Every structure is written in C-alpha cells, then in structure tokens.
mmCIF file of all heavy atoms in Angstrom:
data_model
loop_
_atom_site.group_PDB
_atom_site.id
_atom_site.type_symbol
_atom_site.label_atom_id
_atom_site.label_comp_id
_atom_site.label_asym_id
_atom_site.label_seq_id
_atom_site.Cartn_x
_atom_site.Cartn_y
_atom_site.Cartn_z
ATOM 1 N N SER A 1 4.802 -4.549 7.328
ATOM 2 C CA SER A 1 3.818 -4.874 6.289
ATOM 3 C C SER A 1 2.451 -4.303 6.635
ATOM 4 O O SER A 1 1.759 -3.742 5.772
ATOM 5 C CB SER A 1 3.732 -6.394 6.114
ATOM 6 O OG SER A 1 4.955 -6.932 5.664
ATOM 7 N N LEU A 2 2.051 -4.439 7.879
ATOM 8 C CA LEU A 2 0.753 -3.918 8.296
ATOM 9 C C LEU A 2 0.707 -2.400 8.239
ATOM 10 O O LEU A 2 -0.305 -1.818 7.826
ATOM 11 C CB LEU A 2 0.429 -4.396 9.712
ATOM 12 C CG LEU A 2 -0.115 -5.815 9.813
ATOM 13 C CD1 LEU A 2 -0.037 -6.329 11.240
ATOM 14 C CD2 LEU A 2 -1.551 -5.878 9.296
ATOM 15 N N LEU A 3 1.780 -1.742 8.608
ATOM 16 C CA LEU A 3 1.800 -0.279 8.551
ATOM 17 C C LEU A 3 1.617 0.202 7.123
ATOM 18 O O LEU A 3 0.897 1.179 6.864
ATOM 19 C CB LEU A 3 3.113 0.247 9.131
ATOM 20 C CG LEU A 3 3.319 0.027 10.631
ATOM 21 C CD1 LEU A 3 4.663 0.585 11.071
ATOM 22 C CD2 LEU A 3 2.189 0.648 11.428
ATOM 23 N N ILE A 4 2.258 -0.471 6.185
ATOM 24 C CA ILE A 4 2.088 -0.106 4.776
ATOM 25 C C ILE A 4 0.639 -0.308 4.343
ATOM 26 O O ILE A 4 0.048 0.546 3.666
ATOM 27 C CB ILE A 4 3.051 -0.928 3.893
ATOM 28 C CG1 ILE A 4 4.493 -0.465 4.124
ATOM 29 C CG2 ILE A 4 2.679 -0.791 2.416
ATOM 30 C CD1 ILE A 4 5.525 -1.307 3.401
ATOM 31 N N VAL A 5 0.058 -1.424 4.728
ATOM 32 C CA VAL A 5 -1.341 -1.701 4.371
ATOM 33 C C VAL A 5 -2.265 -0.625 4.942
ATOM 34 O O VAL A 5 -3.148 -0.104 4.240
ATOM 35 C CB VAL A 5 -1.761 -3.090 4.881
ATOM 36 C CG1 VAL A 5 -3.276 -3.276 4.765
ATOM 37 C CG2 VAL A 5 -1.043 -4.177 4.091
ATOM 38 N N PHE A 6 -2.079 -0.270 6.197
ATOM 39 C CA PHE A 6 -2.934 0.746 6.816
ATOM 40 C C PHE A 6 -2.810 2.083 6.096
ATOM 41 O O PHE A 6 -3.798 2.788 5.886
ATOM 42 C CB PHE A 6 -2.579 0.910 8.294
ATOM 43 C CG PHE A 6 -2.983 -0.261 9.153
ATOM 44 C CD1 PHE A 6 -2.285 -0.555 10.310
ATOM 45 C CD2 PHE A 6 -4.045 -1.066 8.801
ATOM 46 C CE1 PHE A 6 -2.652 -1.629 11.104
ATOM 47 C CE2 PHE A 6 -4.423 -2.146 9.581
ATOM 48 C CZ PHE A 6 -3.732 -2.416 10.744
ATOM 49 N N HIS A 7 -1.591 2.452 5.719
ATOM 50 C CA HIS A 7 -1.389 3.730 5.041
ATOM 51 C C HIS A 7 -1.965 3.722 3.629
ATOM 52 O O HIS A 7 -2.416 4.758 3.128
ATOM 53 C CB HIS A 7 0.096 4.070 4.996
ATOM 54 C CG HIS A 7 0.675 4.383 6.336
ATOM 55 N ND1 HIS A 7 2.025 4.354 6.601
ATOM 56 C CD2 HIS A 7 0.085 4.717 7.510
ATOM 57 C CE1 HIS A 7 2.235 4.665 7.869
ATOM 58 N NE2 HIS A 7 1.077 4.888 8.439
ATOM 59 N N LEU A 8 -1.944 2.575 2.974
ATOM 60 C CA LEU A 8 -2.441 2.496 1.598
ATOM 61 C C LEU A 8 -3.960 2.339 1.520
ATOM 62 O O LEU A 8 -4.511 2.287 0.420
ATOM 63 C CB LEU A 8 -1.763 1.339 0.860
ATOM 64 C CG LEU A 8 -0.275 1.521 0.552
ATOM 65 C CD1 LEU A 8 0.262 0.328 -0.235
ATOM 66 C CD2 LEU A 8 -0.025 2.815 -0.211
ATOM 67 N N ARG A 9 -4.616 2.264 2.653
ATOM 68 C CA ARG A 9 -6.089 2.221 2.606
ATOM 69 C C ARG A 9 -6.650 3.512 2.048
ATOM 70 O O ARG A 9 -7.721 3.534 1.454
ATOM 71 C CB ARG A 9 -6.650 1.990 4.010
ATOM 72 C CG ARG A 9 -6.537 0.574 4.492
ATOM 73 C CD ARG A 9 -7.381 0.383 5.725
ATOM 74 N NE ARG A 9 -6.984 1.277 6.810
ATOM 75 C CZ ARG A 9 -7.702 1.496 7.903
ATOM 76 N NH1 ARG A 9 -8.880 0.903 8.030
ATOM 77 N NH2 ARG A 9 -7.278 2.292 8.848
ATOM 78 N N HIS A 10 -5.952 4.618 2.259
ATOM 79 C CA HIS A 10 -6.413 5.928 1.822
ATOM 80 C C HIS A 10 -5.510 6.424 0.701
ATOM 81 O O HIS A 10 -4.281 6.426 0.828
ATOM 82 C CB HIS A 10 -6.398 6.914 2.987
ATOM 83 C CG HIS A 10 -7.053 6.387 4.231
ATOM 84 N ND1 HIS A 10 -8.411 6.185 4.320
ATOM 85 C CD2 HIS A 10 -6.529 5.987 5.421
ATOM 86 C CE1 HIS A 10 -8.709 5.701 5.520
ATOM 87 N NE2 HIS A 10 -7.581 5.562 6.208
ATOM 88 N N ASP A 11 -6.091 6.824 -0.410
ATOM 89 C CA ASP A 11 -5.358 7.329 -1.576
ATOM 90 C C ASP A 11 -4.249 6.357 -1.985
ATOM 91 O O ASP A 11 -3.077 6.726 -2.057
ATOM 92 C CB ASP A 11 -4.759 8.710 -1.248
ATOM 93 C CG ASP A 11 -4.270 9.434 -2.486
ATOM 94 O OD1 ASP A 11 -4.659 9.030 -3.596
ATOM 95 O OD2 ASP A 11 -3.472 10.383 -2.339
ATOM 96 N N PRO A 12 -4.601 5.113 -2.274
ATOM 97 C CA PRO A 12 -3.565 4.096 -2.518
ATOM 98 C C PRO A 12 -2.707 4.353 -3.745
ATOM 99 O O PRO A 12 -1.523 4.029 -3.739
ATOM 100 C CB PRO A 12 -4.375 2.800 -2.671
ATOM 101 C CG PRO A 12 -5.746 3.244 -3.055
ATOM 102 C CD PRO A 12 -5.944 4.559 -2.363
ATOM 103 N N GLU A 13 -3.281 4.950 -4.800
ATOM 104 C CA GLU A 13 -2.483 5.142 -6.012
ATOM 105 C C GLU A 13 -1.327 6.097 -5.767
ATOM 106 O O GLU A 13 -0.174 5.790 -6.085
ATOM 107 C CB GLU A 13 -3.376 5.655 -7.145
ATOM 108 C CG GLU A 13 -4.397 4.635 -7.628
ATOM 109 C CD GLU A 13 -5.170 5.139 -8.817
ATOM 110 O OE1 GLU A 13 -4.592 5.836 -9.661
ATOM 111 O OE2 GLU A 13 -6.375 4.845 -8.909
ATOM 112 N N ALA A 14 -1.602 7.268 -5.209
ATOM 113 C CA ALA A 14 -0.546 8.250 -4.966
ATOM 114 C C ALA A 14 0.434 7.756 -3.908
ATOM 115 O O ALA A 14 1.657 7.881 -4.061
ATOM 116 C CB ALA A 14 -1.161 9.584 -4.542
ATOM 117 N N ARG A 15 -0.089 7.199 -2.836
ATOM 118 C CA ARG A 15 0.788 6.736 -1.757
ATOM 119 C C ARG A 15 1.639 5.557 -2.196
ATOM 120 O O ARG A 15 2.795 5.428 -1.783
ATOM 121 C CB ARG A 15 -0.047 6.360 -0.536
ATOM 122 C CG ARG A 15 -0.619 7.542 0.209
ATOM 123 C CD ARG A 15 -1.171 7.146 1.556
ATOM 124 N NE ARG A 15 -1.537 8.313 2.345
ATOM 125 C CZ ARG A 15 -1.777 8.286 3.652
ATOM 126 N NH1 ARG A 15 -1.677 7.144 4.306
ATOM 127 N NH2 ARG A 15 -2.108 9.375 4.301
ATOM 128 N N ALA A 16 1.077 4.685 -3.026
ATOM 129 C CA ALA A 16 1.839 3.524 -3.489
ATOM 130 C C ALA A 16 3.063 3.958 -4.277
ATOM 131 O O ALA A 16 4.153 3.397 -4.120
ATOM 132 C CB ALA A 16 0.952 2.615 -4.343
ATOM 133 N N MET A 17 2.920 4.962 -5.112
ATOM 134 C CA MET A 17 4.064 5.435 -5.893
ATOM 135 C C MET A 17 5.131 6.047 -4.989
ATOM 136 O O MET A 17 6.326 5.862 -5.220
ATOM 137 C CB MET A 17 3.604 6.444 -6.944
ATOM 138 C CG MET A 17 2.653 5.855 -7.984
ATOM 139 S SD MET A 17 3.283 4.330 -8.744
ATOM 140 C CE MET A 17 4.732 4.958 -9.597
ATOM 141 N N ARG A 18 4.703 6.757 -3.969
ATOM 142 C CA ARG A 18 5.686 7.318 -3.025
ATOM 143 C C ARG A 18 6.397 6.203 -2.278
ATOM 144 O O ARG A 18 7.626 6.243 -2.084
ATOM 145 C CB ARG A 18 4.992 8.271 -2.047
ATOM 146 C CG ARG A 18 4.515 9.570 -2.658
ATOM 147 C CD ARG A 18 4.238 10.611 -1.596
ATOM 148 N NE ARG A 18 3.142 10.226 -0.716
ATOM 149 C CZ ARG A 18 1.870 10.521 -0.927
ATOM 150 N NH1 ARG A 18 1.513 11.191 -2.010
ATOM 151 N NH2 ARG A 18 0.937 10.157 -0.060
ATOM 152 N N TYR A 19 5.641 5.226 -1.821
ATOM 153 C CA TYR A 19 6.241 4.085 -1.125
ATOM 154 C C TYR A 19 7.244 3.371 -2.021
ATOM 155 O O TYR A 19 8.348 3.023 -1.595
ATOM 156 C CB TYR A 19 5.159 3.100 -0.681
ATOM 157 C CG TYR A 19 4.699 3.277 0.738
ATOM 158 C CD1 TYR A 19 3.408 3.691 1.025
ATOM 159 C CD2 TYR A 19 5.555 3.023 1.806
ATOM 160 C CE1 TYR A 19 2.971 3.852 2.328
ATOM 161 C CE2 TYR A 19 5.139 3.179 3.109
ATOM 162 C CZ TYR A 19 3.840 3.595 3.368
ATOM 163 O OH TYR A 19 3.428 3.754 4.670
ATOM 164 N N LEU A 20 6.849 3.118 -3.261
ATOM 165 C CA LEU A 20 7.736 2.406 -4.176
ATOM 166 C C LEU A 20 9.031 3.170 -4.394
ATOM 167 O O LEU A 20 10.122 2.588 -4.396
ATOM 168 C CB LEU A 20 7.034 2.169 -5.520
ATOM 169 C CG LEU A 20 6.038 1.018 -5.568
ATOM 170 C CD1 LEU A 20 5.349 0.980 -6.927
ATOM 171 C CD2 LEU A 20 6.746 -0.303 -5.298
ATOM 172 N N GLY A 21 8.920 4.484 -4.581
ATOM 173 C CA GLY A 21 10.116 5.280 -4.780
ATOM 174 C C GLY A 21 11.067 5.195 -3.595
ATOM 175 O O GLY A 21 12.278 4.990 -3.763
ATOM 176 N N LEU A 22 10.531 5.328 -2.391
ATOM 177 C CA LEU A 22 11.368 5.287 -1.192
ATOM 178 C C LEU A 22 11.952 3.890 -0.947
ATOM 179 O O LEU A 22 13.148 3.745 -0.654
ATOM 180 C CB LEU A 22 10.561 5.732 0.022
ATOM 181 C CG LEU A 22 10.196 7.222 0.078
ATOM 182 C CD1 LEU A 22 9.151 7.482 1.147
ATOM 183 C CD2 LEU A 22 11.442 8.064 0.333
ATOM 184 N N LEU A 23 11.105 2.873 -1.069
ATOM 185 C CA LEU A 23 11.577 1.512 -0.817
ATOM 186 C C LEU A 23 12.635 1.084 -1.825
ATOM 187 O O LEU A 23 13.653 0.469 -1.456
ATOM 188 C CB LEU A 23 10.397 0.538 -0.854
ATOM 189 C CG LEU A 23 9.425 0.596 0.330
ATOM 190 C CD1 LEU A 23 8.163 -0.197 0.029
ATOM 191 C CD2 LEU A 23 10.088 0.078 1.605
ATOM 192 N N LEU A 24 12.426 1.403 -3.091
ATOM 193 C CA LEU A 24 13.384 0.990 -4.116
ATOM 194 C C LEU A 24 14.673 1.797 -4.030
ATOM 195 O O LEU A 24 15.769 1.256 -4.245
ATOM 196 C CB LEU A 24 12.753 1.125 -5.505
ATOM 197 C CG LEU A 24 11.590 0.158 -5.780
ATOM 198 C CD1 LEU A 24 10.989 0.430 -7.153
ATOM 199 C CD2 LEU A 24 12.055 -1.299 -5.670
ATOM 200 N N PHE A 25 14.576 3.081 -3.704
ATOM 201 C CA PHE A 25 15.788 3.902 -3.595
ATOM 202 C C PHE A 25 16.663 3.432 -2.435
ATOM 203 O O PHE A 25 17.849 3.112 -2.615
ATOM 204 C CB PHE A 25 15.423 5.373 -3.414
ATOM 205 C CG PHE A 25 16.616 6.259 -3.186
ATOM 206 C CD1 PHE A 25 17.434 6.624 -4.239
ATOM 207 C CD2 PHE A 25 16.924 6.715 -1.912
ATOM 208 C CE1 PHE A 25 18.543 7.430 -4.031
ATOM 209 C CE2 PHE A 25 18.031 7.526 -1.695
ATOM 210 C CZ PHE A 25 18.844 7.887 -2.755
ATOM 211 N N TRP A 26 16.088 3.361 -1.249
ATOM 212 C CA TRP A 26 16.879 2.978 -0.081
ATOM 213 C C TRP A 26 17.226 1.492 -0.096
ATOM 214 O O TRP A 26 18.296 1.088 0.359
ATOM 215 C CB TRP A 26 16.147 3.345 1.203
ATOM 216 C CG TRP A 26 16.059 4.823 1.403
ATOM 217 C CD1 TRP A 26 14.959 5.615 1.236
ATOM 218 C CD2 TRP A 26 17.126 5.704 1.773
ATOM 219 N NE1 TRP A 26 15.268 6.925 1.485
ATOM 220 C CE2 TRP A 26 16.593 7.016 1.813
ATOM 221 C CE3 TRP A 26 18.472 5.516 2.067
ATOM 222 C CZ2 TRP A 26 17.366 8.118 2.151
ATOM 223 C CZ3 TRP A 26 19.248 6.615 2.409
ATOM 224 C CH2 TRP A 26 18.701 7.896 2.437
ATOM 225 N N GLY A 27 16.329 0.687 -0.647
ATOM 226 C CA GLY A 27 16.647 -0.730 -0.806
ATOM 227 C C GLY A 27 17.777 -0.940 -1.795
ATOM 228 O O GLY A 27 18.625 -1.826 -1.604
ATOM 229 N N GLY A 28 17.812 -0.138 -2.854
ATOM 230 C CA GLY A 28 18.906 -0.228 -3.815
ATOM 231 C C GLY A 28 20.238 0.156 -3.196
ATOM 232 O O GLY A 28 21.269 -0.480 -3.457
ATOM 233 N N LEU A 29 20.232 1.189 -2.346
ATOM 234 C CA LEU A 29 21.458 1.574 -1.650
ATOM 235 C C LEU A 29 21.928 0.475 -0.696
ATOM 236 O O LEU A 29 23.128 0.253 -0.515
ATOM 237 C CB LEU A 29 21.242 2.875 -0.866
ATOM 238 C CG LEU A 29 21.077 4.169 -1.665
ATOM 239 C CD1 LEU A 29 20.885 5.344 -0.733
ATOM 240 C CD2 LEU A 29 22.301 4.411 -2.565
ATOM 241 N N ALA A 30 20.962 -0.207 -0.094
ATOM 242 C CA ALA A 30 21.301 -1.239 0.894
ATOM 243 C C ALA A 30 21.740 -2.547 0.254
ATOM 244 O O ALA A 30 22.413 -3.351 0.909
ATOM 245 C CB ALA A 30 20.097 -1.502 1.802
ATOM 246 N N GLN A 31 21.387 -2.791 -1.011
ATOM 247 C CA GLN A 31 21.601 -4.097 -1.602
ATOM 248 C C GLN A 31 23.063 -4.555 -1.611
ATOM 249 O O GLN A 31 23.352 -5.701 -1.246
ATOM 250 C CB GLN A 31 21.029 -4.134 -3.023
ATOM 251 C CG GLN A 31 21.063 -5.502 -3.681
ATOM 252 C CD GLN A 31 20.263 -6.552 -2.926
ATOM 253 O OE1 GLN A 31 19.313 -6.224 -2.220
ATOM 254 N NE2 GLN A 31 20.642 -7.812 -3.066
ATOM 255 N N PRO A 32 24.038 -3.726 -2.010
ATOM 256 C CA PRO A 32 25.431 -4.193 -1.957
ATOM 257 C C PRO A 32 25.888 -4.550 -0.542
ATOM 258 O O PRO A 32 26.607 -5.535 -0.345
ATOM 259 C CB PRO A 32 26.226 -3.006 -2.522
ATOM 260 C CG PRO A 32 25.236 -2.241 -3.323
ATOM 261 C CD PRO A 32 23.935 -2.387 -2.611
ATOM 262 N N VAL A 33 25.471 -3.742 0.433
ATOM 263 C CA VAL A 33 25.844 -4.025 1.821
ATOM 264 C C VAL A 33 25.168 -5.311 2.291
ATOM 265 O O VAL A 33 25.782 -6.148 2.956
ATOM 266 C CB VAL A 33 25.444 -2.848 2.735
ATOM 267 C CG1 VAL A 33 25.869 -3.119 4.183
ATOM 268 C CG2 VAL A 33 26.056 -1.558 2.233
ATOM 269 N N TYR A 34 23.911 -5.475 1.941
ATOM 270 C CA TYR A 34 23.166 -6.694 2.269
ATOM 271 C C TYR A 34 23.872 -7.918 1.706
ATOM 272 O O TYR A 34 24.022 -8.941 2.383
ATOM 273 C CB TYR A 34 21.755 -6.550 1.714
ATOM 274 C CG TYR A 34 20.864 -7.765 1.864
ATOM 275 C CD1 TYR A 34 20.178 -8.007 3.050
ATOM 276 C CD2 TYR A 34 20.684 -8.651 0.809
ATOM 277 C CE1 TYR A 34 19.342 -9.103 3.185
ATOM 278 C CE2 TYR A 34 19.854 -9.748 0.929
ATOM 279 C CZ TYR A 34 19.188 -9.973 2.119
ATOM 280 O OH TYR A 34 18.363 -11.060 2.238
ATOM 281 N N ALA A 35 24.321 -7.829 0.448
ATOM 282 C CA ALA A 35 25.011 -8.952 -0.184
ATOM 283 C C ALA A 35 26.337 -9.250 0.506
ATOM 284 O O ALA A 35 26.705 -10.412 0.698
ATOM 285 C CB ALA A 35 25.237 -8.650 -1.663
ATOM 286 N N LEU A 36 27.058 -8.222 0.903
ATOM 287 C CA LEU A 36 28.324 -8.427 1.600
ATOM 288 C C LEU A 36 28.123 -9.057 2.972
ATOM 289 O O LEU A 36 28.921 -9.883 3.412
ATOM 290 C CB LEU A 36 29.063 -7.092 1.744
ATOM 291 C CG LEU A 36 29.855 -6.618 0.528
ATOM 292 C CD1 LEU A 36 30.367 -5.202 0.759
ATOM 293 C CD2 LEU A 36 31.010 -7.562 0.241
ATOM 294 N N LEU A 37 27.053 -8.664 3.661
ATOM 295 C CA LEU A 37 26.776 -9.262 4.968
ATOM 296 C C LEU A 37 26.516 -10.762 4.841
ATOM 297 O O LEU A 37 26.876 -11.541 5.722
ATOM 298 C CB LEU A 37 25.572 -8.581 5.616
ATOM 299 C CG LEU A 37 25.847 -7.303 6.413
ATOM 300 C CD1 LEU A 37 24.546 -6.684 6.879
ATOM 301 C CD2 LEU A 37 26.753 -7.575 7.597
ATOM 302 N N LEU A 38 25.888 -11.156 3.737
ATOM 303 C CA LEU A 38 25.656 -12.583 3.512
ATOM 304 C C LEU A 38 26.920 -13.304 3.087
ATOM 305 O O LEU A 38 26.961 -14.530 3.026
ATOM 306 C CB LEU A 38 24.569 -12.787 2.453
ATOM 307 C CG LEU A 38 23.172 -12.329 2.845
ATOM 308 C CD1 LEU A 38 22.208 -12.540 1.689
ATOM 309 C CD2 LEU A 38 22.680 -13.083 4.068
ATOM 310 N N ALA A 39 27.942 -12.536 2.730
ATOM 311 C CA ALA A 39 29.289 -13.042 2.440
ATOM 312 C C ALA A 39 29.423 -13.730 1.090
ATOM 313 O O ALA A 39 30.516 -13.897 0.595
ATOM 314 C CB ALA A 39 29.777 -13.997 3.540
ATOM 315 N N ASP A 40 28.328 -14.142 0.488
ATOM 316 C CA ASP A 40 28.417 -14.863 -0.771
ATOM 317 C C ASP A 40 28.139 -13.986 -1.983
ATOM 318 O O ASP A 40 28.091 -14.479 -3.106
ATOM 319 C CB ASP A 40 27.402 -16.028 -0.775
ATOM 320 C CG ASP A 40 27.752 -17.068 0.272
ATOM 321 O OD1 ASP A 40 28.929 -17.151 0.646
ATOM 322 O OD2 ASP A 40 26.824 -17.773 0.719
ATOM 323 N N TRP A 41 27.922 -12.709 -1.756
ATOM 324 C CA TRP A 41 27.573 -11.787 -2.842
ATOM 325 C C TRP A 41 26.373 -12.303 -3.629
ATOM 326 O O TRP A 41 26.373 -12.355 -4.850
ATOM 327 C CB TRP A 41 28.767 -11.547 -3.773
ATOM 328 C CG TRP A 41 29.556 -10.361 -3.357
ATOM 329 C CD1 TRP A 41 30.694 -10.369 -2.612
ATOM 330 C CD2 TRP A 41 29.249 -8.989 -3.589
ATOM 331 N NE1 TRP A 41 31.124 -9.097 -2.367
ATOM 332 C CE2 TRP A 41 30.253 -8.225 -2.969
ATOM 333 C CE3 TRP A 41 28.219 -8.328 -4.261
ATOM 334 C CZ2 TRP A 41 30.271 -6.832 -3.008
ATOM 335 C CZ3 TRP A 41 28.237 -6.939 -4.301
ATOM 336 C CH2 TRP A 41 29.256 -6.218 -3.676
ATOM 337 N N HIS A 42 25.338 -12.699 -2.889
ATOM 338 C CA HIS A 42 24.101 -13.156 -3.518
ATOM 339 C C HIS A 42 23.298 -11.945 -3.985
ATOM 340 O O HIS A 42 22.280 -11.585 -3.415
ATOM 341 C CB HIS A 42 23.260 -13.980 -2.538
ATOM 342 C CG HIS A 42 23.781 -15.359 -2.334
ATOM 343 N ND1 HIS A 42 24.400 -16.075 -3.326
ATOM 344 C CD2 HIS A 42 23.757 -16.169 -1.248
ATOM 345 C CE1 HIS A 42 24.741 -17.272 -2.866
ATOM 346 N NE2 HIS A 42 24.370 -17.347 -1.604
ATOM 347 N N LEU A 43 23.734 -11.316 -5.057
ATOM 348 C CA LEU A 43 23.039 -10.138 -5.548
ATOM 349 C C LEU A 43 21.662 -10.480 -6.102
ATOM 350 O O LEU A 43 20.816 -9.616 -6.272
ATOM 351 C CB LEU A 43 23.877 -9.442 -6.626
ATOM 352 C CG LEU A 43 25.164 -8.780 -6.124
ATOM 353 C CD1 LEU A 43 25.947 -8.208 -7.285
ATOM 354 C CD2 LEU A 43 24.847 -7.690 -5.113
ATOM 355 N N TRP A 44 21.444 -11.743 -6.387
ATOM 356 C CA TRP A 44 20.139 -12.155 -6.904
ATOM 357 C C TRP A 44 19.100 -12.261 -5.798
ATOM 358 O O TRP A 44 17.907 -12.373 -6.068
ATOM 359 C CB TRP A 44 20.247 -13.501 -7.630
ATOM 360 C CG TRP A 44 20.855 -14.586 -6.776
ATOM 361 C CD1 TRP A 44 22.159 -14.935 -6.711
ATOM 362 C CD2 TRP A 44 20.172 -15.435 -5.849
ATOM 363 N NE1 TRP A 44 22.350 -15.951 -5.807
ATOM 364 C CE2 TRP A 44 21.140 -16.284 -5.273
ATOM 365 C CE3 TRP A 44 18.840 -15.568 -5.470
ATOM 366 C CZ2 TRP A 44 20.813 -17.249 -4.318
ATOM 367 C CZ3 TRP A 44 18.521 -16.532 -4.516
ATOM 368 C CH2 TRP A 44 19.512 -17.362 -3.957
#
C-alpha cells in the first residue's frame, strides 16, 4: 500500500490508470484460484 502511495505522489492521474489496469488484470486472473483456495468458491 505504501509503495503505491509513494509512486502516485508524482503524476497520479496517468500512474493511477496504469496501476488500475495491472491490478485488475492480474487480480482478475487470480480470482478463480483465490476462490478455490478458500474452498467455498466465495467469488463475492
């Protein structure tokens, strides 16, 4: 969390969009595996 804050101190608009794209893309790929690890398929 702190690393993201430090990076967004400079040019936050452009960097925020890049961060969002990366976090949502890789987080989306991880979500089914994350749900399976919890065993209950808590996709919510």
Side-chain angles (χ1 to χ4, degrees):
S1 297
L2 280 164
L3 293 180
I4 290 174
V5 169
F6 289 152
H7 292 161
L8 291 182
R9 283 193 301 167
H10 311 290
D11 193 16
E13 292 185 36
R15 287 193 172 195
M17 297 309 295
R18 290 197 296 270
Y19 264 114
L20 281 176
L22 290 167
L23 288 168
L24 293 177
F25 175 77
W26 291 105
L29 290 180
Q31 186 61 27
V33 182
Y34 175 83
L36 279 172
L37 275 175
L38 294 178
D40 295 336
W41 268 98
H42 284 326
L43 291 176
W44 55 267

